Amino acid sequence: MIYLTIVDINTYSTWLEIDLNALKQNVAEVIKMTGTDVMAVIKANGYGHGMRPIAQACVAGGATWCGVARIEEALALRRAGISTRILVLGFTPASKIPEAIEHNITVALFNAELAQTYLEYVRIHGGTLRAHVKVETGMGRLGMPVEVVAPFLRALKNSPIQVEGIFTHFARADEPNSDSTPNQIRIFNTLLNELDSQGLKPEIVHSANSAAILNFPASYYDLVRPGDLIMGMAPDSAQPLPPQYKPTLTWKARLISVRNFPAGQGISYGSTYVTRKEERIGVIPIGYGDGFRRVDNQQVLVGGKRVNIVGRVCMDQCMLQLDDVPDAKIGDEVVLIGKQGSEFISVDEVAQRWGTINYEVVCGLAERLPRIYGE
Ligand SMILES: *Cc1c(COP(=O)(O)O)cnc(C)c1O
């Protein structure tokens, strides 16, 4: 792999490496698996990977749509030159509707009163607003109740809001043996049939997130909406990622200090770790200010070996116990997420230590971490 920037101790002391080739291939694998169009979901700074390069790689991999949570994210994609269709999956304030029209951004409709307010803005501004209706089938979040969808669509016919799509979202698609997703699909299909018989069915139907792509082919319809999967992560830590999907993220740092401390030396705030003998202690310039968590019992890779983080994680540093890697020296590479030699730390391993899911780990990667893109 060739990274666009040569990184050395003089460039960065910590950075993220993102494999755009893996990302492109993951998008292509989703297309192969589903046979549908792909909306690359790249909200929250592309799951922390960096919005613009991720969007470009997804498009190169075959994605024809980008999905985001907020209109500001959609506008940032347009400024970055992304010309695919873009759907704002979440709430769009009515005052932003003129910008949505100008930049050809599609909004989600999940509330009839809000849609009325949108209509007023569309009429004042002129033009046509493209929209997808979001339907509640079991997520208990934003969708419209199924029984109001037909009258709602009928009322919008011949209005300047053009409803070109309809979608729903699954609550438990990461549970292949639960009835929950098949039930949601059944409720959605009943609605789609009803709309079809009344000539009201929008052109583009979609429902599948990453977990549904892996577990429920009946959810594919015209378009699928993967996020986690295209970043090369498993939407459910209990189910391993199929081998054709590749991890995209590596988090590295360099040792900025290596020294021996005598027995009895407290390490970091609160001296929660005290050396028991003479010990070799390294420092990496990473802390909770980077989105690393201040929890105990963590490991990183140094010299191809797992080593323990000792003492409390600070805002900008943490300390490593290096007795097992006596050759470790200032400038050596440390891996927090990813491979080193034959060892590997997955995002899921880190998520498990933090009592959370891989999604939250990557979304928390701080802005100040340089992101280096390779292909
Ligand atoms: C975030 C999101 C997705 C993508 O979810 P993944 O589990 O990352 O694939 C799809 N659809 C909606 C509505 C979302 O909010």
Side-chain angles (χ1 to χ4, degrees), residues 41 43 47 89 134 141 167 169 208-211 225-229 235 359:
V41 178
K43 55 196 178 186
Y47 287 51
L89 296 157
K134 189 168 200 173
R141 199 167 64 178
F167 70 112
H169 192 54
N209 56 4
S210 294
R225 305 192 304 264
D228 213 51
L229 187 57
Y359 293 75

Side-chain angles (χ1 to χ4, degrees), residues 41-234:
V41 178
I42 49 179
K43 55 196 178 186
N45 194 24
Y47 287 51
H49 291 56
M51 183 101 130
R52 178 183 181 162
I54 294 305
Q56 287 166 338
C58 288
V59 172
T64 48
W65 282 79
C66 290
V68 292
R70 312 228 172 108
I71 181 101
E72 289 78 8
E73 297 176 315
L75 293 168
L77 284 176
R78 285 289 184 249
R79 282 196 300 275
I82 297 296
S83 60
T84 58
R85 309 301 315 280
I86 300 177
L87 174 62
V88 179
L89 296 157
F91 168 75
T92 301
S95 61
K96 300 284 188 187
I97 291 305
E99 280 178 278
I101 296 171
E102 254 157 58
H103 297 279
N104 194 22
I105 290 162
T106 306
V107 300
L109 298 179
F110 49 83
N111 172 307
E113 290 88 69
L114 186 62
Q116 278 309 312
T117 316
Y118 285 180
L119 259 183
E120 287 167 31
Y121 275 89
V122 181
R123 292 204 166 106
I124 295 165
H125 180 266
T128 305
L129 176 67
R130 294 179 197 254
H132 289 201
V133 170
K134 189 168 200 173
V135 184
E136 171 59 49
T137 59
M139 176 67 186
R141 199 167 64 178
L142 283 180
M144 276 191 167
V146 283
E147 59 277 10
V148 307
V149 174
F152 177 71
L153 288 174
R154 197 170 297 112
L156 286 180
K157 268 207 150 176
N158 308 314
S159 85
I161 294 184
Q162 185 198 338
V163 180
E164 58 173 24
I166 185 164
F167 70 112
T168 194
H169 192 54
F170 299 121
R172 299 173 63 180
D174 55 345
E175 299 173 43
N177 300 318
S178 154
D179 293 342
S180 171
T181 303
N183 277 334
Q184 285 195 257
I185 292 172
R186 197 169 316 119
I187 292 166
F188 195 42
N189 282 341
T190 304
L191 173 66
L192 293 171
N193 288 335
E194 180 199 330
L195 296 177
D196 202 18
S197 68
Q198 298 177 46
L200 292 170
K201 191 173 128 189
E203 204 177 311
I204 307 168
V205 179
H206 51 107
S207 70
N209 56 4
S210 294
I213 289 169
L214 296 177
N215 296 328
F216 296 100
S219 69
Y220 293 170
Y221 304 101
D222 304 307
L223 182 71
V224 293
R225 305 192 304 264
D228 213 51
L229 187 57
I230 56 180
M231 309 301 164
M233 297 187 292

Side-chain angles (χ1 to χ4, degrees), residues 255 301-307 324-325 328 332-335 340-341:
L255 286 169
L301 307 178
V302 182
K305 291 199 177 121
R306 282 176 177 266
V307 306
D324 285 347
V325 271
D332 282 3
E333 230 173 70
V334 178
V335 170
Q340 193 185 59

